[in-house]
Amino acid sequence: MKMMTRMTAVLLAALVLTVSGCASSGPKKPPTGTPEPDKFLFERGNENLGKKRWIVAREYFRQLVDSYPQSQYRADAKLGIGDTYMGEKSSASYVLAINEYREFLSFYPTHKRADYAQFQLAMGYFRQMRSPMRDQTETRDAIKEFQNFVNKFPNEDASKLYPEAKQRLRDAKDRLADWDAGVAEQYFRLKWYPGVMGRLTPLLQNDPEYTRRDSVYFYLGETLMRLSRSAEALVYYERIVSEFDQSERLEQAKRRIAEIKAAAPATPGKETPKGPRP
């Protein structure tokens, strides 16, 4: 079902962009007698890509892909088609870009630019991510594809794109976690504390590196305080202090720690046994 939905989206996106591109001049062909027609098409495609003339560049790349299946430039032209769709920055064009990069990886899984194709595929979803309190389908897809990238290219030696992919993966995970954190804050304002715990505890379990976990610690601490479980709350306030040098929750956490410790009963000391005087 999901595959059918994506195929429908690709077809609809293609229809939209076909209509929008009707004003272009049609297929681009090399002049008669050109000694290396595939190279001519590739160079013209790159030239127009650099000028952000997306439709014209795509026509050159498409002509190369369709007409010269044995060309050494065909794989790069396939990527070029995807890049023209990415450049248009619309929901429809991102869908088509994703399809181009996915086809590239299917046709050329060991190509030297497979890392670029995987990165761009993930970025196609990343660019469609919605705000935290809206549907997060694209965010989950972005996480999946960036994780695929990291699995296939696990360091900078494997791909120069690794640091950026790693950061984008973190950004996407944060976006997904922001949704749970936002819902938990609403529950806290409504004083529905089981709902707060039910959102934030799994969040930390599933994503312990969440960038804004200081707020998660704080709301868990505040919730536990209201449930008269100050000893458990103390753990979360202490995490804010130990893990964050800078946080808007830092001073509040320190005050809570002082309050909890001041209210804790003193631990009775053991009396020193009295022996006979010398």
Side-chain angles (χ1 to χ4, degrees), residues 188 213-226 229-244 249-261:
F188 184 83
R213 64 187 181 280
D214 54 332
S215 288
V216 174
Y217 294 154
F218 180 78
Y219 279 107
L220 282 170
E222 291 296 289
T223 297
L224 289 165
M225 289 290 286
R226 284 157 175 75
R229 295 160 60 181
S230 58
E232 295 174 68
L234 178 62
V235 174
Y236 289 110
Y237 295 128
E238 288 179 334
R239 285 186 183 179
I240 296 175
V241 175
S242 64
E243 295 181 24
F244 293 89
R249 304 295 185 182
L250 193 57
E251 292 306 315
Q252 293 170 294
K254 290 178 179 179
R255 286 196 296 271
R256 281 299 198 196
I257 291 171
E259 291 171 10
I260 294 170
K261 289 185 176 181

Side-chain angles (χ1 to χ4, degrees), residues 45-249:
N46 277 330
E47 178 184 338
N48 284 280
L49 184 67
K51 295 177 180 179
K52 299 182 179 181
R53 299 173 64 187
W54 312 122
I55 296 175
V56 176
R58 185 156 58 242
E59 289 168 351
Y60 279 114
F61 289 137
R62 182 69 72 187
Q63 185 69 20
L64 193 163
V65 169
D66 292 343
S67 302
Y68 301 91
Q70 303 303 318
S71 171
Q72 62 177 316
Y73 304 108
R74 190 172 190 263
D76 287 311
K78 184 72 172 172
L79 289 177
I81 294 171
D83 291 346
T84 65
Y85 286 130
M86 287 289 283
E88 290 180 346
K89 299 180 180 179
S90 70
S91 296
S93 66
Y94 287 139
V95 171
L96 290 168
I98 288 168
N99 188 60
E100 292 294 332
Y101 297 128
R102 201 178 294 282
E103 284 187 357
F104 177 93
L105 291 169
S106 178
F107 297 152
Y108 310 102
T110 60
H111 193 276
K112 62 182 180 179
R113 297 188 69 194
D115 61 327
Y116 177 80
Q118 181 62 48
F119 179 85
Q120 288 291 83
L121 192 164
M123 285 300 297
Y125 289 117
F126 187 88
R127 296 300 185 194
Q128 297 181 77
M129 293 192 316
R130 303 185 182 190
S131 58
M133 300 311 291
R134 298 183 64 189
D135 179 71
Q136 295 300 304
T137 299
E138 289 80 8
T139 305
R140 292 185 178 89
D141 286 334
I143 291 172
K144 176 184 175 183
E145 296 302 340
F146 278 123
Q147 191 61 60
N148 285 341
F149 180 99
V150 171
N151 292 341
K152 294 176 183 176
F153 311 100
N155 50 52
E156 285 192 71
D157 291 333
S159 173
K160 298 301 182 183
L161 292 169
Y162 173 81
E164 187 175 356
K166 191 75 171 177
Q167 183 58 54
R168 297 294 190 183
L169 176 59
R170 180 66 268 162
D171 293 342
K173 286 184 174 181
D174 281 348
R175 180 68 57 87
L176 193 60
D178 284 344
W179 187 83
D180 279 316
V183 172
E185 287 186 32
Q186 291 182 8
Y187 288 158
F188 184 83
R189 295 188 187 98
L190 295 171
K191 300 182 180 181
W192 189 46
Y193 302 125
V196 178
M197 300 294 293
R199 287 285 178 177
L200 298 185
T201 302
L203 189 161
L204 289 177
Q205 292 172 344
N206 296 331
D207 189 6
E209 300 301 319
Y210 174 46
T211 302
R212 289 172 282 281
R213 64 187 181 280
D214 54 332
S215 288
V216 174
Y217 294 154
F218 180 78
Y219 279 107
L220 282 170
E222 291 296 289
T223 297
L224 289 165
M225 289 290 286
R226 284 157 175 75
L227 296 174
S228 300
R229 295 160 60 181
S230 58
E232 295 174 68
L234 178 62
V235 174
Y236 289 110
Y237 295 128
E238 288 179 334
R239 285 186 183 179
I240 296 175
V241 175
S242 64
E243 295 181 24
F244 293 89
D245 294 328
Q246 295 183 343
S247 168
E248 62 179 6
R249 304 295 185 182

